[in-house]
Amino acid sequence: QVTLKESGPVLVKPTETLTLTCTVSGFSLSNARMGVSWIRQPPGKALEWLAHIFSNDEKSYSTSLKSRLTISKDTSKSQVVLTMTNMDPVDTATYYCARSLGTGAFLDYWGQGTLVTVSS
Amino acid sequence: DIQMTQSPSSVSASVGDRVTITCRASQGISSWLAWYQQKPGKAPKLLIYAASSLQSGVPSRFSGSGSGTDFTLTISSLQPEDFATYYCQQANSFPVTFGGGTKVEIK
């Protein structure tokens, strides 16, 4: 059974760096057809894709947030980590990780999401 | 980046109605399109991938069509559990992009 679970702080201060971890089970991050994306959703707003890591460790980032994001994975721990620097109140959102299978970025399994609030 | 434009942004419908949501890509994406359903407080759920392929376990009243730049999600007979927000997403190239969402509300 495939599951993904996000973890990290619920509250961060402006200018701080956010580190989120996605722990997966039911599949291997080393599987050639697997990838993991991070997506966020501010309260009451639409989904915004952030970053993706492929099985071969290639990465892709949102054009607008690229300078602030880093995605990495630890296959032995079944974890994908996203860091976002210089947090601002507008970054308050629910952050999701999701799995993609195959060559396209169709996101077939999602974590439950974690709400991160940015406030002093 | 490829821009995804959904319409309408919201629709009011009754149980049993046929509902159609459209999504337009700013450039051709072949059939690299997905549709997701999201209910309040829940993660999105994949309904349709590759423009018209039904994800396992999704009721057959959901269907998708289109290719290139214009796509459609159709709910043939709206059920109470279908009231939700629907998003399209292009998977043709990175960076991935989502549409702005369509909220299906009870009339």
Side-chain angles (χ1 to χ4, degrees):
Chain A
Q1 161 199 8
V2 173
T3 64
L4 301 94
K5 187 170 185 179
E6 307 87 352
S7 58
V10 295
L11 180 67
V12 297
K13 291 181 167 55
T15 76
E16 287 186 342
T17 294
L18 171 68
T19 299
L20 293 172
T21 300
C22 176
T23 302
V24 310
S25 64
F27 69 99
S28 171
L29 294 174
S30 62
N31 185 312
R33 301 179 66 223
M34 302 292 178
V36 173
S37 273
W38 283 94
I39 305 99
R40 72 178 180 179
Q41 185 173 40
K45 296 190 176 181
L47 300 169
E48 178 183 21
W49 179 84
L50 300 176
H52 186 86
I53 190 162
F54 298 81
S55 57
N56 64 0
D57 215 37
E58 279 191 39
K59 295 136 187 173
S60 180
Y61 295 100
S62 160
T63 301
S64 61
L65 294 168
K66 187 172 186 175
S67 64
R68 298 173 54 204
L69 295 173
T70 303
I71 191 170
S72 62
K73 65 182 171 120
D74 185 329
T75 301
S76 65
K77 293 183 178 179
S78 294
Q79 292 180 334
V80 176
V81 176
L82 181 76
T83 62
M84 181 180 292
T85 61
N86 194 24
M87 294 292 284
D88 183 272
V90 300
D91 297 312
T92 294
T94 296
Y95 287 76
Y96 296 99
C97 59
R99 184 187 85 161
S100 71
L101 178 62
T103 53
F106 300 124
L107 303 169
D108 62 348
Y109 285 91
W110 292 62
Q112 64 190 20
T114 185
L115 175 61
V116 178
T117 300
V118 185
S119 174
S120 55
Chain B
D1 296 7
I2 298 174
Q3 307 303 315
M4 305 301 293
T5 304
Q6 278 183 246
S7 61
S9 57
S10 67
V11 58
S12 294
S14 301
V15 172
D17 285 353
R18 182 182 184 90
V19 173
T20 299
I21 299 168
T22 63
C23 180
R24 174 164 289 175
S26 62
Q27 63 190 72
I29 59 170
S30 185
S31 296
W32 292 100
L33 185 99
W35 290 97
Y36 300 87
Q37 176 194 66
Q38 186 180 34
K39 296 181 179 180
K42 299 295 186 181
K45 172 187 172 184
L46 178 64
L47 298 177
I48 302 280
Y49 64 95
S52 60
S53 295
L54 199 65
Q55 175 70 346
S56 176
V58 174
S60 58
R61 62 181 180 272
F62 291 93
S63 64
S65 64
S67 66
T69 60
D70 294 311
F71 301 87
T72 300
L73 173 70
T74 300
I75 309 171
S76 60
S77 178
L78 199 65
Q79 298 302 300
E81 59 268 31
D82 301 336
F83 291 96
T85 301
Y86 294 84
Y87 294 93
C88 64
Q89 173 230 332
Q90 67 83 14
N92 179 72
S93 61
F94 287 88
V96 165
T97 43
F98 287 92
T102 297
K103 187 173 184 179
V104 178
E105 300 174 298
I106 301 172
K107 193 171 187 178

